[in-house]
Amino acid sequence: MHKTEERAEWALSYLGQWFHVDREVWGAHCGGRRLRIDAVMKPRDASAWKDDAPVFGVEFKLTTAGSDTREFTSWVAQAVDYTHVYWQGYGRLKIFTCPSPFVALAERDGGDLMARMLGQLGVGELSPIQHRGWALLLNDHVVWCEADGPVAAKQWSIRSRVGSR
């Protein structure tokens, strides 16, 4: 098993405590190409979430410390493309990448701006954060975390949208 597959298997099994996980979901990109995402997840208990039926996609990648710009931008482009896919049985989704692509940017100027811009494009991150466990982050805010459950998701919709509103 490839290292990325091992990480995905472990994380998705662990997160199964809080989420229903549908693995390897296919969809059609608005450009006509068929694509596959690693997982689509929905909370087991959505009662505290703003959305009636919250659902989102997760894509895993193998990264290396000090990844070059080309590797990073290719990964980001893929995640943004995935926000334009009609996933079978789910429609368009926000996409959370794992591990965080922003860790490599944290030490660079503009890392926070990049995280916020990608959040506006429907791309967030799934990563462990200190003292809170696994978390979904979007626009540099905790949407959900292992320790507290839905945080921003109580007030924010995670439905995919078009435009700035």
Side-chain angles (χ1 to χ4, degrees), residues 132-149:
R132 296 178 89 178
W134 280 93
L136 295 169
L137 297 112
L138 188 66
N139 289 324
D140 212 22
H141 294 285
V142 176
V143 174
W144 171 91
C145 71
E146 184 178 338
D148 305 317

Side-chain angles (χ1 to χ4, degrees), residues 61-108:
K61 287 287 182 209
L62 179 62
T63 60
T64 54
S67 296
D68 65 19
T69 302
R70 182 172 177 254
E71 182 180 348
F72 172 77
T73 56
S74 294
W75 184 11
V76 168
Q78 178 185 8
V80 171
D81 270 347
Y82 280 9
T83 68
H84 299 284
V85 172
Y86 285 84
W87 299 104
Q88 190 171 353
Y90 298 103
R92 290 181 56 235
L93 302 172
K94 289 205 184 323
I95 304 300
F96 291 84
T97 59
C98 183
S100 171
F102 307 118
V103 171
L105 288 178
E107 296 174 2
R108 298 183 196 175

Side-chain angles (χ1 to χ4, degrees), residues 1 3 7 14-15 19 48 77 80 85 87 93 97 99 101 103 107 119 147 153 161-162 164-165:
M1 188 177 282
K3 190 172 183 176
R7 176 186 295 136
Y14 184 77
L15 291 165
F19 298 95
V80 171
V85 172
W87 299 104
L93 302 172
T97 59
V103 171
E107 296 174 2
R161 64 178 189 210
V162 177
S164 63
R165 299 210 179 250

